[in-house]
């Protein structure tokens, strides 16, 4: 990348001179990189204009999940949830990001009980009393992406399973508290992992969160096994998801060979996941989608 002069326009597109915009920011990243720290490159830093557009996509994503929350119940098929998501997303001017993504056939992922993630909606899957289900909604709006998911408990869920759902949400909240500028992804990861482990659960290693906004899946990859003070440096303008997948039993998972998508716990124990989309700000963080 061409080295900018201090009076050149900043690389971020703000129109400001580099010395009044991202010069100090880049110097800090360079200092951290000299120490051996993994640092984000410019492609991971969203501009104010991009952030504003991403917020609009997130607004639709949250509204669609709110609609699901109002209507989901015992007796609903996951195919019906897929129809709701498609209709509510397109009605608001968006496009469901999962639809046809790498061949995925539906507009939303619905993962029930021992399904960890990427469950494919089906008219054959009827939600019944005692089920837990993750509904993972992702939206494209004017070319910008958003992504979040929620867990739903259907009817009278066994207290042990309901506790799993609650603890995973607590894991996300504790991880979120660690998201701040010039901290580390490992700070968040350790908070998530420690709380899950303390409650007797295991954290899925193979699947994690990701950067998002200009594309559906961007760098950095976000895992939940890291340790405090390790991993990528968090810088203002980064946007990524926090979405730990946590199992009641062992952490081992496998992909359904028939559909090539649905991930299950290998011991068929229940699994839960909450997903939020987070912006690193100058003084902390902002949750964009939940």
């Amino acid at each position: 990348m061409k080295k900018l002069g201090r009076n050149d326009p900043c690389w971020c597109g703000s129109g400001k001179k580099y010395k009044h915009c991202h010069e100090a920011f880049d110097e800090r990243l360079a200092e951290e990189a000299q120490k051996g720290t993994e640092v984000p490159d410019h492609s991971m830093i969203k501009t104010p204009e991009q952030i504003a557009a991403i917020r609009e996509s997130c607004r639709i994503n949250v509204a669609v999940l709110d609609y699901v929350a109002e209507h989901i119940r015992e007796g609903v098929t996951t195919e019906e949830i897929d129809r709701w998501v498609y209709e509510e997303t397109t009605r608001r001017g968006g496009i469901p990001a999962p639809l046809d993504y790498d061949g995925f056939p539906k507009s939303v992922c619905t993962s029930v009980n021992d399904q960890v993630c990427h469950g494919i909606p089906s008219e054959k899957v009827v939600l019944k009393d005692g089920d837990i289900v993750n509904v993972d909604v992702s939206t494209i709006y004017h070319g910008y992406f958003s992504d979040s998911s929620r867990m739903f408990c259907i009817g009278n869920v066994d207290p042990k399973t309901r506790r799993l759902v609650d603890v995973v949400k607590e894991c996300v909240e504790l991880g979120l508290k660690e998201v701040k500028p010039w901290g580390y992804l490992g700070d968040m990861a350790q908070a998530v992992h420690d709380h899950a482990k303390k409650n007797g659960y295991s954290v899925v290693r193979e699947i994690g969160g990701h950067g998002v906004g200009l594309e559906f899946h961007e760098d950095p990859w976000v895992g939940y096994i890291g340790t405090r003070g390790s991993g990528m440096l968090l810088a203002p303008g980064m946007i990524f998801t926090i979405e730990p997948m946590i199992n009641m039993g062992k952490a081992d998972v496998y992909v359904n060979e028939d559909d090539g998508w649905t991930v299950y716990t290998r011991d068929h124990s229940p699994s839960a996941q909450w997903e939020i989309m987070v912006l690193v700000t100058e003084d902390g963080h902002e949750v964009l989608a939940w």
Side-chain angles (χ1 to χ4, degrees), residues 145-160:
F145 291 75
S146 53
D147 188 11
S148 58
S149 79
R150 301 179 196 171
M151 291 297 301
F152 298 100
C153 292
I154 308 301
N156 300 300
V157 173
D158 177 87
K160 289 183 178 180

Side-chain angles (χ1 to χ4, degrees), residues 111-179:
S111 304
V112 183
N113 297 331
D114 64 338
Q115 294 177 342
V116 177
C117 62
H118 303 161
I120 299 175
S122 169
E123 61 185 9
K124 296 179 181 179
V125 179
V126 182
L127 296 179
K128 62 183 186 299
D129 184 63
D131 282 344
I132 60 171
V133 56
N134 178 270
V135 179
D136 191 346
V137 172
S138 309
T139 302
I140 310 169
Y141 183 65
H142 292 173
Y144 293 89
F145 291 75
S146 53
D147 188 11
S148 58
S149 79
R150 301 179 196 171
M151 291 297 301
F152 298 100
C153 292
I154 308 301
N156 300 300
V157 173
D158 177 87
K160 289 183 178 180
T161 306
R162 186 177 288 274
R163 179 172 172 270
L164 170 69
V165 171
D166 292 341
V167 168
V168 178
K169 189 173 186 181
E170 291 168 6
C171 286
V172 172
E173 291 165 350
L174 289 168
L176 177 64
K177 288 181 180 179
E178 300 296 331
V179 176

Side-chain angles (χ1 to χ4, degrees), residues 200-231:
Y201 304 134
S202 61
V203 180
V204 174
R205 293 172 176 268
E206 297 91 335
I207 313 166
H210 52 90
V212 61
L214 306 184
E215 301 290 343
F216 195 172
H217 297 97
E218 305 172 7
D219 289 330
W221 187 82
V222 180
Y224 308 99
I225 310 294
T227 55
R228 187 172 297 280
S230 71

Side-chain angles (χ1 to χ4, degrees), residues 8-193:
D8 289 338
C10 187
W11 54 262
C12 76
S14 66
K16 297 178 183 179
K17 291 182 179 180
Y18 182 49
K19 65 184 178 183
H20 296 311
C21 198
H22 273 94
E23 183 181 37
F25 174 96
D26 284 347
E27 287 175 351
R28 182 157 190 176
L29 291 184
E31 289 172 5
E32 292 291 339
Q34 286 280 339
K35 300 175 188 175
T37 304
E38 183 183 3
V39 300
D41 61 35
H42 288 172
S43 69
M44 297 184 210
I45 308 303
K46 307 301 189 287
T47 68
E49 292 76 16
Q50 290 169 339
I51 292 168
I54 292 165
R55 279 199 188 97
E56 289 302 300
S57 180
C58 290
R59 180 182 57 78
I60 293 174
N61 213 71
V62 171
V64 172
L65 269 169
D66 285 347
Y67 183 93
V68 172
E70 291 170 5
H71 293 83
I72 197 168
R73 65 188 186 282
E74 182 181 355
V76 165
T77 68
T78 54
E79 180 74 20
E80 287 179 85
I81 297 172
D82 182 73
R83 177 172 54 79
W84 297 344
V85 169
Y86 179 82
E87 291 177 353
E88 291 301 311
T89 303
T90 55
R91 185 171 70 83
R92 291 172 168 82
I95 301 168
L99 188 59
D100 296 325
Y101 177 79
D102 282 350
F104 190 80
K106 297 292 183 177
S107 297
V108 66
C109 297
T110 52
S111 304
V112 183
N113 297 331
D114 64 338
Q115 294 177 342
V116 177
C117 62
H118 303 161
I120 299 175
S122 169
E123 61 185 9
K124 296 179 181 179
V125 179
V126 182
L127 296 179
K128 62 183 186 299
D129 184 63
D131 282 344
I132 60 171
V133 56
N134 178 270
V135 179
D136 191 346
V137 172
S138 309
T139 302
I140 310 169
Y141 183 65
H142 292 173
Y144 293 89
F145 291 75
S146 53
D147 188 11
S148 58
S149 79
R150 301 179 196 171
M151 291 297 301
F152 298 100
C153 292
I154 308 301
N156 300 300
V157 173
D158 177 87
K160 289 183 178 180
T161 306
R162 186 177 288 274
R163 179 172 172 270
L164 170 69
V165 171
D166 292 341
V167 168
V168 178
K169 189 173 186 181
E170 291 168 6
C171 286
V172 172
E173 291 165 350
L174 289 168
L176 177 64
K177 288 181 180 179
E178 300 296 331
V179 176
K180 54 182 72 75
W182 315 116
Y184 300 87
L185 273 176
D187 302 345
M188 179 277 298
Q190 181 162 355
V192 169
H193 188 264

